[in-house]
Amino acid sequence: MKKSILFLTVSFFAALGCILTACSDDETSMSRIVLASAEVLEYDAYPSSPQIITITSDADWVAEVPEWITVSPTSGNAGQTEVTISVNDNERDGLPDNPRKGTIRFKGRNLESVAAILIRQGGDKFRDPVDYTIDDMEAAEDETVVRLPGMVVTAVTGNGLIVTDGTQYAYITQPVEAVAVGDKVSIVGEKFHDNIGMAYVKGEKIAKEGTAAVPEKTPVDITSTLDQTNGKKYQYVTFVGDFDGTAVTVGESTCKAYLIDCLESLGVRNFGGHKIRVTGYFAGQASPVVNIIPAAVEDLGQNQVILFSEDFEWLSPWAIAGKDGNTPAGDTIGGNGTEAPKADQCKNEGRTATEELIARGYDFVSAHEYNDAKGKRDFALYLQQNYLKFNKTGNVDGKPYQEGLVLPPLKDIPANREIKISFDWCPQMQGDGMYDKTEMAVIVMNGDVETEIVAPGHSRADNSPYSWQNADLSLAGVELNEKTKIIIRNSNDAWAQKTAHRFYLDNIKIYYLP
């Protein structure tokens, strides 16, 4: 049982005193101010005890109460009155009924003097499900209880299943019992949508109705059209690409395909550095990410050996929490909000994003290390969903606010191989539409010996849309060992300049060809 209590402040009582002294004798005895110490009260279907609140008013009040709720007393006078609120058992035919809610109104003389308390009582939300088509389910509000009748299971995933009505597909998560491909089922659950707007049903009840032939469908080959595959419908697709252990690079596509909710038996974890053919279900796009729920994965042979890979998807809880838990990070490159909270202001389970990066082996270098007003190191590092933003405008003592990312140390580095480093980046656009003159580079440090490899610059027209640009650089001839520091930052020329050189960074990979 939860209680949501709003405690009255000293300032309220001061205001109340002023009102009391200002009332004339010929005014009605009903209150001009009525306040309650709670906004919401919650009860179980079979409540164990009543709850007590306080009503504060400047004169008389009365309560307006739904019939299944009991309030005592139902009226009161000026001052503070303790009120006991209880509810009847929420049952029908001896079983819990659907959850219900009602509002108690403690009323004074007019609409401005009404204190409303919402009463919520639990029950069995799945008791009387309504049949929905897949289209209607997708259009329903989140938390709507739906029943999808007569569905055929087309795929079993790591934590769910894909079903079809013969024409469209729906994604069901957390099913309550095991099913197999070809089962005919009716599913009851709650409709939700994920963080890129795809509808799904959290399964609560599954009734098997026998078996049925899985409708024959030819998957749409999206190898050459991955970037253009979008929409809010699950689609049966196939494609070929290079898997780095985290994401699949598909030809020259800007987007990368991420395999989600993988069935363990597919063996996806064994295919890092391989070319693979994936057949499965498109599950949404938020550039540069395309989510795919795989039904089958074919190994087409090794094409890369991955020494290090990072897509920053693990940053999601910090990005969602955002600044001080209130302002989530946006997705500037994907066109879904530009909010970029500082990484050390975003916390998850008591640890900031900056602290988590350091715990994972990352470090930072600064053109000028500077402290905030409290003497704490002030990083020019910001979060997006789910990638990093570096640097800001201005300077300190003539030195710019610039950061560089030091990668975790490499291990098991082979001899006589051309090691390469790849990453996606994008410069920041200024308010007038001009892009910063960012010039990316990889700095390799062996003790005091520094090697700089400058990436190709960008050639974006001012005011053109944001998009990712890939840098794929050779580290041939550069000494690499477990003590080597590999840093991604602005080039040495840009590192020394006071003007803005901001950039976004994602999808880092260090690899070699077998």
Side-chain angles (χ1 to χ4, degrees), residues 153 155-163 171-179 187-188 201-206 261:
V153 178
V156 176
T157 68
N159 189 42
L161 56 144
I162 300 290
V163 298
Y171 180 36
I172 316 299
T173 68
Q174 301 180 30
V176 292
E177 61 179 282
V179 296
I187 296 164
V188 175
V201 174
K202 182 178 178 182
E204 179 65 25
K205 298 178 181 179
I206 296 181
D261 199 13

Short mmCIF file of all heavy atoms in Angstrom, two decimals, residues 153 155-163 171-179 187-188 201-206 261:
data_model
loop_
_atom_site.label_atom_id
_atom_site.label_comp_id
_atom_site.label_asym_id
_atom_site.label_seq_id
_atom_site.Cartn_x
_atom_site.Cartn_y
_atom_site.Cartn_z
N VAL A 153 2.36 -18.50 -33.67
CA VAL A 153 3.73 -18.18 -33.28
C VAL A 153 4.65 -18.43 -34.47
O VAL A 153 4.70 -19.55 -35.01
CB VAL A 153 4.17 -19.03 -32.08
CG1 VAL A 153 5.63 -18.72 -31.71
CG2 VAL A 153 3.25 -18.78 -30.88
N ALA A 155 8.07 -17.11 -34.37
CA ALA A 155 9.45 -17.15 -33.87
C ALA A 155 9.43 -17.08 -32.35
O ALA A 155 8.59 -16.40 -31.76
CB ALA A 155 10.27 -15.99 -34.44
N VAL A 156 10.37 -17.80 -31.74
CA VAL A 156 10.60 -17.70 -30.30
C VAL A 156 11.90 -16.94 -30.10
O VAL A 156 12.91 -17.23 -30.76
CB VAL A 156 10.69 -19.10 -29.65
CG1 VAL A 156 11.03 -18.98 -28.17
CG2 VAL A 156 9.36 -19.84 -29.82
N THR A 157 11.91 -15.94 -29.21
CA THR A 157 13.08 -15.10 -28.99
C THR A 157 13.66 -15.38 -27.61
O THR A 157 13.17 -16.25 -26.87
CB THR A 157 12.70 -13.62 -29.11
OG1 THR A 157 11.84 -13.26 -28.01
CG2 THR A 157 11.94 -13.36 -30.40
N GLY A 158 14.68 -14.65 -27.24
CA GLY A 158 15.30 -14.87 -25.94
C GLY A 158 14.37 -14.59 -24.78
O GLY A 158 14.43 -15.26 -23.74
N ASN A 159 13.51 -13.60 -24.93
CA ASN A 159 12.62 -13.21 -23.84
C ASN A 159 11.20 -12.97 -24.33
O ASN A 159 10.47 -12.15 -23.79
CB ASN A 159 13.15 -11.94 -23.16
CG ASN A 159 12.40 -11.60 -21.89
OD1 ASN A 159 12.08 -12.47 -21.09
ND2 ASN A 159 12.10 -10.32 -21.70
N GLY A 160 10.80 -13.67 -25.40
CA GLY A 160 9.47 -13.42 -25.92
C GLY A 160 9.18 -14.25 -27.14
O GLY A 160 9.73 -15.35 -27.33
N LEU A 161 8.33 -13.73 -27.99
CA LEU A 161 7.95 -14.42 -29.21
C LEU A 161 7.35 -13.43 -30.20
O LEU A 161 6.93 -12.34 -29.83
CB LEU A 161 6.93 -15.52 -28.92
CG LEU A 161 5.64 -15.14 -28.20
CD1 LEU A 161 4.47 -15.95 -28.74
CD2 LEU A 161 5.79 -15.42 -26.71
N ILE A 162 7.35 -13.84 -31.46
CA ILE A 162 6.69 -13.10 -32.52
C ILE A 162 5.47 -13.90 -32.95
O ILE A 162 5.55 -15.12 -33.15
CB ILE A 162 7.62 -12.89 -33.73
CG1 ILE A 162 8.89 -12.11 -33.33
CG2 ILE A 162 6.89 -12.17 -34.85
CD1 ILE A 162 8.65 -10.67 -32.98
N VAL A 163 4.33 -13.21 -33.08
CA VAL A 163 3.10 -13.87 -33.53
C VAL A 163 2.55 -13.12 -34.73
O VAL A 163 2.88 -11.95 -34.96
CB VAL A 163 2.04 -13.93 -32.40
CG1 VAL A 163 2.56 -14.74 -31.21
CG2 VAL A 163 1.63 -12.52 -31.96
N TYR A 171 4.95 -8.33 -31.36
CA TYR A 171 6.03 -8.78 -30.49
C TYR A 171 5.49 -8.92 -29.07
O TYR A 171 4.91 -7.97 -28.53
CB TYR A 171 7.17 -7.76 -30.54
CG TYR A 171 8.38 -8.05 -29.70
CD1 TYR A 171 8.85 -9.35 -29.51
CD2 TYR A 171 9.09 -7.00 -29.10
CE1 TYR A 171 9.98 -9.59 -28.75
CE2 TYR A 171 10.22 -7.24 -28.35
CZ TYR A 171 10.67 -8.54 -28.18
OH TYR A 171 11.79 -8.77 -27.42
N ILE A 172 5.65 -10.09 -28.48
CA ILE A 172 5.18 -10.39 -27.13
C ILE A 172 6.38 -10.63 -26.24
O ILE A 172 7.23 -11.48 -26.56
CB ILE A 172 4.26 -11.63 -27.10
CG1 ILE A 172 3.25 -11.61 -28.25
CG2 ILE A 172 3.58 -11.77 -25.75
CD1 ILE A 172 2.30 -10.44 -28.25
N THR A 173 6.49 -9.90 -25.13
CA THR A 173 7.61 -10.09 -24.21
C THR A 173 7.15 -10.80 -22.94
O THR A 173 5.97 -10.78 -22.59
CB THR A 173 8.25 -8.76 -23.82
OG1 THR A 173 7.33 -8.00 -23.02
CG2 THR A 173 8.63 -7.95 -25.04
N GLN A 174 8.09 -11.42 -22.28
CA GLN A 174 7.88 -12.07 -20.98
C GLN A 174 6.66 -12.99 -20.98
O GLN A 174 5.77 -12.86 -20.12
CB GLN A 174 7.76 -11.02 -19.88
CG GLN A 174 8.98 -10.13 -19.75
CD GLN A 174 8.84 -9.10 -18.66
OE1 GLN A 174 8.18 -9.32 -17.65
NE2 GLN A 174 9.49 -7.96 -18.85
N PRO A 175 6.58 -13.91 -21.93
CA PRO A 175 5.43 -14.83 -21.93
C PRO A 175 5.43 -15.68 -20.66
O PRO A 175 6.48 -16.02 -20.13
CB PRO A 175 5.67 -15.68 -23.18
CG PRO A 175 7.15 -15.61 -23.42
CD PRO A 175 7.56 -14.24 -22.98
N VAL A 176 4.23 -16.04 -20.19
CA VAL A 176 4.11 -16.73 -18.91
C VAL A 176 4.26 -18.24 -19.06
O VAL A 176 4.36 -18.95 -18.05
CB VAL A 176 2.77 -16.41 -18.24
CG1 VAL A 176 2.74 -14.95 -17.82
CG2 VAL A 176 1.60 -16.70 -19.18
N GLU A 177 4.25 -18.76 -20.28
CA GLU A 177 4.49 -20.19 -20.46
C GLU A 177 5.15 -20.42 -21.81
O GLU A 177 5.10 -19.58 -22.71
CB GLU A 177 3.19 -20.99 -20.36
CG GLU A 177 2.13 -20.63 -21.39
CD GLU A 177 0.90 -21.49 -21.23
OE1 GLU A 177 0.92 -22.65 -21.68
OE2 GLU A 177 -0.09 -21.01 -20.64
N ALA A 178 5.81 -21.57 -21.93
CA ALA A 178 6.57 -21.88 -23.13
C ALA A 178 5.64 -22.18 -24.30
O ALA A 178 4.61 -22.83 -24.15
CB ALA A 178 7.49 -23.06 -22.87
N VAL A 179 6.02 -21.70 -25.46
CA VAL A 179 5.31 -22.00 -26.70
C VAL A 179 6.35 -22.36 -27.75
O VAL A 179 7.55 -22.17 -27.56
CB VAL A 179 4.46 -20.81 -27.18
CG1 VAL A 179 3.37 -20.50 -26.18
CG2 VAL A 179 5.32 -19.59 -27.44
N ILE A 187 -3.48 -14.43 -26.66
CA ILE A 187 -2.57 -13.80 -25.71
C ILE A 187 -3.28 -12.65 -25.02
O ILE A 187 -3.93 -11.82 -25.68
CB ILE A 187 -1.31 -13.28 -26.42
CG1 ILE A 187 -0.53 -14.46 -27.00
CG2 ILE A 187 -0.43 -12.47 -25.48
CD1 ILE A 187 0.48 -14.08 -28.03
N VAL A 188 -3.16 -12.60 -23.70
CA VAL A 188 -3.68 -11.48 -22.92
C VAL A 188 -2.49 -10.80 -22.25
O VAL A 188 -1.62 -11.46 -21.67
CB VAL A 188 -4.68 -11.96 -21.85
CG1 VAL A 188 -5.12 -10.78 -20.96
CG2 VAL A 188 -5.90 -12.60 -22.51
N VAL A 201 3.48 -6.20 -26.51
CA VAL A 201 2.57 -6.65 -25.47
C VAL A 201 3.37 -7.42 -24.43
O VAL A 201 4.10 -8.36 -24.78
CB VAL A 201 1.44 -7.53 -26.03
CG1 VAL A 201 0.58 -8.11 -24.90
CG2 VAL A 201 0.57 -6.74 -27.00
N LYS A 202 3.25 -7.01 -23.19
CA LYS A 202 3.85 -7.76 -22.10
C LYS A 202 2.87 -8.87 -21.73
O LYS A 202 1.80 -8.63 -21.19
CB LYS A 202 4.10 -6.84 -20.90
CG LYS A 202 4.77 -7.54 -19.73
CD LYS A 202 5.03 -6.57 -18.60
CE LYS A 202 5.65 -7.28 -17.40
NZ LYS A 202 5.87 -6.34 -16.26
N GLY A 203 3.23 -10.10 -22.06
CA GLY A 203 2.31 -11.21 -21.92
C GLY A 203 1.98 -11.54 -20.47
O GLY A 203 2.86 -11.54 -19.60
N GLU A 204 0.70 -11.81 -20.22
CA GLU A 204 0.25 -12.19 -18.88
C GLU A 204 -0.41 -13.56 -18.89
O GLU A 204 -0.22 -14.36 -17.98
CB GLU A 204 -0.74 -11.14 -18.35
CG GLU A 204 -1.30 -11.44 -16.98
CD GLU A 204 -0.25 -11.41 -15.88
OE1 GLU A 204 0.78 -10.72 -16.07
OE2 GLU A 204 -0.46 -12.04 -14.84
N LYS A 205 -1.20 -13.83 -19.93
CA LYS A 205 -1.87 -15.12 -20.06
C LYS A 205 -1.76 -15.59 -21.51
O LYS A 205 -1.97 -14.81 -22.44
CB LYS A 205 -3.35 -15.01 -19.67
CG LYS A 205 -3.59 -14.60 -18.22
CD LYS A 205 -5.08 -14.48 -17.95
CE LYS A 205 -5.34 -14.02 -16.51
NZ LYS A 205 -6.81 -13.88 -16.23
N ILE A 206 -1.44 -16.86 -21.71
CA ILE A 206 -1.39 -17.44 -23.04
C ILE A 206 -2.23 -18.71 -23.04
O ILE A 206 -1.98 -19.63 -22.25
CB ILE A 206 0.05 -17.75 -23.48
CG1 ILE A 206 0.87 -16.47 -23.60
CG2 ILE A 206 0.06 -18.51 -24.81
CD1 ILE A 206 2.29 -16.68 -24.04
N ASP A 261 17.14 -9.25 -28.21
CA ASP A 261 16.35 -10.39 -27.72
C ASP A 261 16.71 -11.67 -28.46
O ASP A 261 15.84 -12.42 -28.93
CB ASP A 261 14.86 -10.08 -27.82
CG ASP A 261 14.03 -11.00 -26.92
OD1 ASP A 261 14.62 -11.68 -26.06
OD2 ASP A 261 12.80 -11.03 -27.08
#
